[in-house]
Amino acid sequence: MNERYSRQELFRPIGKEGQATISAKHVLIVGAGALGTGNAEALVRAGIGKLTIIDRDYVEWSNLQRQQLYSEEDAKARLPKAVAAKQRLVQVNSEVEMEAVVGDANVEELERLATEARPDVIIDATDNFETRMIINDISCKYGIPWIYGACVGSYGISYAFLPGKTPCLHCLLETVPIGGLTCDTAGIISPAVQMVVAYQVTEALKLLVGDEASLRGKLVSFDLWNNQYASIRVDQVKKDDCPSCGGNPTYPYLSYEMQTKTAVLCGRNSVQIRPAGKREYDLAKLAELFSDQGFSVDSNPYLVSVSLPSHRLVIFRDGRALVHGTKDIQEAKAIYHRYLG
Amino acid sequence: MKLIINGEAIDVPERIRTVADLLEHFQLNKKIAIVEVNACILQKEQYATATLNSGDRVEIVHFVGGG
Ligand SMILES: [Zn+2]
């Protein structure tokens, strides 16, 4: 008899029945940074049936202070976060089926993940509103609940969006916040992460066991350092003519343009470049090409890292690249095209 | 003026008359926030004209992006 979930089964709102239900559920976590690793560990320990986690980045030393699944070894090896996360999660609970995706959470990829093996809940662990608006449209289109979470400094915020019941993120925001709001220079302390994770995981568990009556139903925020807490019932903000969740939805954030996409990464002095169309690089060959030109090259099975005179260029197999050492999109694009065409 | 902000009684300076003033005072005017006054959510267009009275219960939640 497996005792692994005995304490969770003793918790009445879950019980043996709830545990059986949880073990058949599939959760998609978008992002494997601070919130993503926290949510993933909690849900895998709780015994969900399947976890899918997607992330475009690799582990760095500055992650270790709060991204709980990663070790110094992962940072040294520059392992993709999705890969490193899965390695640790399998050690934590080998009973959970796991899919780790190294890639950009773009429209195409998220729509594939939402339809191929339909998740019961989507957890937002991204660091930008562009991706959140895509998640929001996916949620509305396919009727999958998603749980917003974000934090900066000692402040955090969360809300569970239920398609057809609550307002959606588009209703709440009207416009996508840009710039300063997402790229925070205020830093972050790990308890703020853990608090948001606690809100997200708890709402996820309620949804997974089907206890919707217990959902908080409010937008909640807190500041742990300044000892503040606020919550607002936002039901009345739902808009009948919302382009994402209204009567005639157009899902504006799912309209896909075939063009090179760029994104400045939060607090990283780095730009991500995703080329138009699909590419598939032979990384070993690519590494050789760069070292033949006299550049110092580091690589692992997932990426190649090249030290250029004033920047560092990290290239993934799918053609995505991170240009470190600049926040200037034009400069980053120029570097990308100079070396990768 | 005394307001109940996020559950706490706070004395705000006299110059604060509207919700817009209050958001500026807390340096939230450039952020996207949801503001509730006495259990009623305000539209953004109302911030500049919605006057506050002593004893009003104000809840402010602002959006952040990090994760
Ligand atoms: Zn909506």
Side-chain angles (χ1 to χ4, degrees):
Chain A
M1 182 59 205
N2 197 333
E3 288 287 300
R4 177 187 287 247
Y5 305 114
S6 59
R7 301 306 187 273
Q8 196 162 284
E9 286 168 352
L10 280 171
F11 179 69
R12 287 222 173 179
I14 294 180
K16 275 197 187 314
E17 206 177 313
Q19 189 61 44
T21 312
I22 289 171
S23 74
K25 299 290 183 180
H26 175 201
V27 178
L28 166 62
I29 300 181
V30 184
L35 292 175
T37 53
N39 272 285
E41 178 161 353
L43 289 167
V44 161
R45 284 190 190 278
I48 57 170
K50 180 176 177 183
L51 173 77
T52 303
I53 188 160
I54 174 168
D55 194 281
R56 63 185 177 187
D57 211 349
Y58 59 89
V59 181
E60 291 194 298
W61 286 90
S62 65
N63 302 148
L64 301 183
Q65 163 251 6
R66 68 200 178 286
Q67 302 188 12
Q68 67 189 64
L69 295 174
Y70 306 135
S71 68
E72 295 185 357
E73 290 305 312
D74 300 330
K76 275 182 204 151
R78 292 199 181 103
L79 269 192
K81 289 183 176 178
V83 173
K86 184 178 171 180
Q87 278 179 7
R88 173 65 185 142
L89 291 168
V90 168
Q91 293 175 334
V92 167
N93 190 345
S94 60
E95 292 174 0
V96 179
E97 185 187 344
M98 269 175 255
E99 185 187 1
V101 182
V102 181
D104 204 23
N106 55 35
V107 173
E108 201 182 11
E109 190 62 29
L110 285 177
E111 203 148 26
R112 181 183 76 79
L113 291 174
T115 50
E116 265 181 20
R118 202 195 132 88
D120 296 284
V121 177
I122 302 173
I123 304 260
D124 158 38
T126 66
D127 58 7
N128 66 86
F129 280 99
E130 194 192 0
T131 311
R132 287 190 179 98
M133 289 308 242
I134 299 173
I135 296 174
N136 186 65
D137 272 359
I138 296 256
S139 156
C140 295
K141 184 172 175 185
Y142 297 103
I144 304 167
W146 74 281
I147 304 172
Y148 164 59
C151 45
V152 58
S154 53
Y155 180 88
I157 177 169
S158 183
Y159 185 72
F161 291 97
L162 310 185
K165 290 177 185 158
T166 68
C168 79
L169 185 64
H170 206 149
C171 296
L172 295 190
L173 285 183
E174 292 169 11
T175 54
V176 183
I178 43 157
L181 198 78
T182 59
C183 279
D184 300 299
T185 47
I188 176 87
I189 55 171
S190 69
V193 174
Q194 293 302 329
M195 191 81 174
V196 174
V197 167
Y199 279 119
Q200 289 182 295
V201 172
T202 309
E203 297 307 284
L205 289 174
K206 292 174 190 173
L207 283 168
L208 294 181
V209 301
D211 187 5
E212 289 198 13
S214 296
L215 287 165
R216 183 170 12 85
K218 287 181 168 184
L219 182 66
V220 66
S221 77
F222 61 82
D223 189 323
L224 291 173
W225 203 273
N226 296 304
N227 311 308
Q228 288 166 350
Y229 170 87
S231 76
I232 299 179
R233 182 164 290 283
V234 288
D235 301 14
Q236 65 191 88
V237 183
K238 187 164 172 61
K239 297 184 171 66
D240 295 333
D241 59 351
C242 172
S244 295
C245 74
N248 285 304
T250 56
Y251 312 116
Y253 291 91
L254 300 186
S255 48
Y256 185 70
E257 328 100 84
M258 277 296 283
Q259 51 173 282
T260 303
K261 286 256 184 183
T262 54
V264 181
L265 299 193
C266 277
R268 292 268 310 268
N269 197 29
S270 307
V271 175
Q272 172 182 258
I273 303 203
R274 181 160 55 77
K278 278 212 181 302
R279 295 191 189 191
E280 178 91 32
Y281 280 120
D282 181 335
L283 292 179
K285 265 203 191 125
L286 199 64
E288 215 180 293
L289 219 68
F290 278 106
S291 61
D292 284 351
Q293 294 175 61
F295 296 116
S296 132
V297 179
D298 239 355
S299 65
N300 65 34
Y302 311 97
L303 57 86
V304 173
S305 168
V306 188
S307 297
L308 302 171
S310 53
H311 300 85
R312 196 157 55 81
L313 182 62
V314 175
I315 308 142
F316 292 81
R317 204 176 325 179
D318 60 3
R320 255 178 341 107
L322 300 176
V323 184
H324 296 293
T326 182
K327 281 180 190 148
D328 181 338
I329 286 179
Q330 293 314 319
E331 186 185 14
K333 269 188 177 170
I335 290 168
Y336 183 92
H337 293 305
R338 187 181 320 150
Y339 292 101
L340 293 167
Chain B
M1 175 167 56
K2 209 169 219 131
L3 298 172
I4 314 290
I5 301 173
N6 294 347
E8 272 183 82
I10 293 176
D11 251 322
V12 299
E14 280 307 313
R15 62 183 168 78
I16 292 173
R17 308 235 173 260
T18 65
V19 168
D21 296 339
L22 188 70
L23 289 175
E24 194 170 348
H25 176 66
F26 287 118
Q27 294 172 343
L28 293 172
N29 47 323
K30 292 203 178 92
K31 309 223 162 147
I32 294 184
I34 305 260
V35 182
E36 185 186 75
V37 178
N38 300 326
C40 211
I41 295 175
L42 300 184
Q43 301 292 315
K44 284 159 196 62
E45 306 80 60
Q46 297 175 294
Y47 291 174
T49 51
T51 52
L52 292 163
N53 299 300
S54 190
D56 278 351
R57 304 187 71 90
V58 184
E59 293 277 312
I60 307 171
V61 173
H62 70 274
F63 285 88
V64 294

